[in-house]
Amino acid sequence: MAYKSLQEIEERCRAEGISFSEAVLLDDLNERGVSREDSRTTMHGMWKAMKEASDGYDAALRSNSGLVGGAGGKMREYVEKEEPLSGGFVGKVISSALEMGESNACMKRIVAAPTAGACGVLPAVLVNYQREWKASDEEIVDALYVAAGIGQVIASRAFIAGALGGCQAEIGSASAMAAGALVTLRGGNEKQISHAAAMALKNLLGLVCDPVGGLVEVPCVKRNVIGAVNALSAADMALAGIESRISPDQVIDAMRQVGEQMHPSLKETGEGGLAATPDGKQAITKTVTPGGK
Ligand code: SF4
């Protein structure tokens, strides 16, 4: 039976003396009736696709609407030529998150983890982590199992779609998944993984889904940045021994409640928040006017 709580995963880890990633992998074998080799091959395939998507960014591309494109290239150039306030590593994470979000808006192949709108968060931290700290593909795949386990629990207790729970459910979930993945890469235990995920999710609680023109472009591309950077800080807090005062599963439940109470105009309808601002409305009118720019 698929895990319904992070506590359940933690308890299994402690009872069987296994890692968080192993507990998720064992559940996958049980759920899908596949061999360990098949399961890991699939996950390696996901990782390969993420790396290819990251490498395949084209700064010259613009989305059909003309709303996004080129920001990842600008950020990368800035990181290479200047001294980013957030430091070189975080600067690269920001570039990668923008790049993947833009690739999605420009219809390039991405890995929706957990959704296309939030596709930049996990690769931004994992691709750069591997480059910076030379983690092996096997270690990254272990981290992806951790991310998958967190995502699965969030999906079963709450939601991972902006249309159901607002952007907290998309970027928030992606950030929680990335935070847990980072903790495992750094050797953190199952409790630290859960608390990193909880802290990441808490920081984005209440985030509305308000895409301009209903397109997954503005503010989506840049929200991938906050999801990725938030994951880094939540992982560091957990690794420092800081815990969420609200238990991780209760944080997920709170996210569900907030999402349920959120006004429909703030759940991917493109009718509220930034989409309803004069600039938001004007931006989309321009894009649909022939020759408009
Ligand atoms: S604003 Fe909505 S569509 Fe855009 S990333 Fe967030 S949840 Fe997805």
Side-chain angles (χ1 to χ4, degrees):
M1 185 193 280
Y3 300 117
K4 296 281 186 294
S5 68
L6 293 175
Q7 188 180 344
E8 215 180 309
I9 302 179
E10 281 185 50
E11 280 168 2
R12 181 168 187 184
C13 291
R14 288 190 278 272
E16 299 180 25
I18 58 176
S19 65
F20 195 112
S21 65
E22 178 69 8
V24 177
L25 186 149
L26 290 174
D27 188 58
D28 185 43
L29 307 190
N30 186 43
E31 276 287 298
R32 298 194 299 125
V34 294
S35 68
R36 174 178 288 267
E37 195 191 346
D38 284 346
S39 176
R40 288 195 76 87
T41 300
T42 303
M43 203 56 110
H44 271 280
M46 299 271 186
W47 174 229
K48 187 167 170 272
M50 275 187 195
K51 284 196 287 189
E52 284 171 356
S54 183
D55 293 341
Y57 173 70
D58 182 351
L61 282 183
R62 297 293 177 271
S63 63
N64 281 337
S65 70
L67 285 174
V68 299
K74 274 187 191 165
M75 187 67 202
R76 195 157 290 279
E77 200 181 327
Y78 167 73
V79 171
E80 282 162 10
K81 292 189 179 157
E82 310 284 337
E83 253 183 71
L85 291 169
S86 44
F89 175 68
V90 175
K92 287 176 199 162
V93 168
I94 294 171
S95 310
S96 295
L98 290 169
E99 288 169 5
M100 198 65 80
E102 290 184 326
S103 291
N104 175 53
C106 295
M107 303 296 167
K108 295 197 74 177
R109 186 175 183 236
I110 52 90
V111 178
T115 60
C119 68
V121 178
L122 260 177
V125 298
L126 294 181
V127 167
N128 287 292
Y129 187 92
Q130 184 172 53
R131 286 184 191 141
E132 192 87 6
W133 281 286
K134 314 286 175 238
S136 68
D137 284 339
E138 284 296 314
E139 287 169 319
I140 299 285
V141 162
D142 282 342
L144 283 175
Y145 276 104
V146 169
I150 294 165
Q152 185 237 303
V153 169
I154 295 175
S156 81
R157 292 181 85 89
F159 14 58
I160 53 168
L164 294 174
C167 201
Q168 56 168 3
E170 279 199 22
I171 294 289
S173 299
S175 192
M177 292 161 68
L182 285 164
V183 169
T184 205
L185 282 167
R186 277 299 172 100
N189 62 27
E190 63 277 358
K191 191 174 183 193
Q192 288 171 310
I193 290 169
S194 294
H195 280 263
M199 288 188 278
L201 196 55
K202 277 162 72 177
N203 293 348
L204 296 172
L205 212 66
L207 189 62
V208 301
C209 172
D210 50 356
V212 168
L215 302 168
V216 187
E217 301 186 11
V218 177
C220 318
V221 169
K222 297 186 186 92
R223 281 200 183 146
N224 278 276
V225 172
I226 196 59
V229 175
N230 179 52
L232 293 173
S233 44
D236 267 338
M237 283 194 281
L239 289 163
I242 298 167
E243 294 185 359
S244 168
R245 288 282 178 186
I246 311 297
S247 67
D249 290 316
Q250 289 184 29
V251 171
I252 298 171
D253 294 345
M255 194 271 270
R256 187 194 68 241
Q257 248 196 340
V258 170
E260 285 169 354
Q261 290 169 355
M262 208 175 263
H263 192 272
S265 67
L266 302 170
K267 292 198 264 191
E268 215 174 314
T269 53
E271 291 172 356
L274 296 171
T277 60
D279 280 351
K281 287 180 187 164
Q282 201 190 13
I284 206 64
T285 310
K286 278 185 183 172
T287 63
V288 296
T289 304
K293 197 69 191 160

